[in-house]
Amino acid sequence: MGLGQGPGRDHLSASPAGPIFDAYHAVRARLPRPTAGGACTPVDTLADIADRFDTFLLDAFGVLNVGETPIPGARDRVHALRDAGKRVLIVSNAAGLPHAALMEKYDGMGMGFAPEDVITSRMALTNALADAPPTRWAAMATSGAGLEDLAPTLLRDDPAAYDAAEGFLLIGSADWTDARQALLEASLRAHPRPVHVGNPDIAAPREDAPSREPGHWAHRLADATGVAPVFHGKPFAGIYDLAFARSGDAGRTVMVGDSLHTDILGAQVAGVASALITSHGILRDHDVAAGIALSGIRPDYVVRTT
Ligand SMILES: [Mg+2]
């Protein structure tokens, strides 16, 4: 099954806002409700709104990079904002890699972020579960590195591992398969247990075709089993609380991202301004105005490029 083709979504027809937009739109009942939103003021780059904010929260995929490739001009923009005295943080639905590995990627792009200035949905997940009672977790994850506190069993192809778990963590889906998803859904149907999602993204833009992220599988299992997953990361509040704890203040802050349903909706939930990047990520080559109208998620600014 591809994006937007989960159970119960066969009625879905393609919109001019593109397939990733459509996949989010199909699950909007599980997302926060949009506010009245912003004016969708068009601007060319983030330089045009730099004077209006002290803190820039930047999404990564679609704003700084596409897959492993930096977006042209993004590195220079980050440095120019910092040189102008702005606080610049990454706020990313990234959960698959331990923090040090993620930092290697950004260091390689010359972005100059301190590890503390990169706030991830993995942190939101681990922070939310830090005080949970001891639980036998099992995880959709490529590796257990950095997850020692939760000590999950890594889910592979043994059905017994699914049935033995007391709760599930959906963290990284790089080597997840339809067969493993079927094992998870069968186990949950027989015995419903909590499911925590460390990355609510349904898809991430890559160089060739979008990848299926943990959110894709979470919505699919919710459709199939009736279990309601708990999401950690944009557009839900916890990740923003971590960002504000780091920036020290939610005032004069703008969230910049390419996804209406995660970045812009998340900014509304967090009570900060929002800027939608249109040239690189989810809405690239699609009808941005149609996406805004269909979703009812209205950013303050519509920005051509970072
Ligand atoms: Mg993005």
Side-chain angles (χ1 to χ4, degrees), residues 6-95:
R9 289 181 223 161
D10 295 339
H11 61 285
L12 196 69
S13 56
S15 85
I20 300 182
F21 172 94
D22 289 347
Y24 282 106
H25 193 61
V27 299
R28 62 194 178 281
R30 294 196 191 101
L31 304 178
R33 289 183 69 87
T35 65
C40 306
T41 305
V43 299
D44 191 46
T45 75
L46 293 180
D48 298 318
I49 59 171
D51 287 348
R52 299 175 202 182
F53 301 102
D54 298 326
T55 301
F56 285 75
L57 308 180
L58 304 182
D59 176 37
F61 273 64
V63 173
L64 299 176
N65 56 286
V66 174
E68 305 302 312
T69 310
I71 287 171
R75 175 190 171 279
D76 290 348
R77 182 70 59 218
V78 166
H79 285 279
L81 289 171
R82 251 192 233 118
D83 290 347
K86 312 297 179 184
R87 291 285 276 119
V88 186
L89 275 62
I90 292 177
V91 178
S92 174
N93 283 355

Side-chain angles (χ1 to χ4, degrees), residues 97-115:
L97 295 176
H99 205 64
L102 191 64
M103 290 311 303
E104 265 178 43
K105 175 172 157 174
Y106 294 127
D107 288 347
M109 295 182 194
M111 301 283 181
F113 286 98

Side-chain angles (χ1 to χ4, degrees), residues 137-191:
W137 296 110
M140 166 201 287
T142 308
S143 126
L147 299 169
E148 289 78 7
D149 288 351
L150 297 167
T153 301
L154 299 185
L155 292 168
R156 296 294 184 255
D157 301 313
D158 173 15
Y162 295 74
D163 294 339
E166 294 174 328
F168 296 93
L169 309 174
L170 312 192
I171 288 170
S173 51
D175 54 13
W176 196 247
T177 63
D178 288 316
R180 291 173 183 178
Q181 179 78 3
L183 291 176
L184 176 56
E185 290 176 3
S187 185
L188 279 172
R189 238 185 252 113
H191 176 205

Side-chain angles (χ1 to χ4, degrees), residues 59-63 65 201 203-205 234 256-259 262-263 281-282:
D59 176 37
F61 273 64
V63 173
N65 56 286
D201 282 4
K234 299 174 291 184
V256 180
D258 66 304
S259 167
T262 59
D263 306 307
I282 287 174

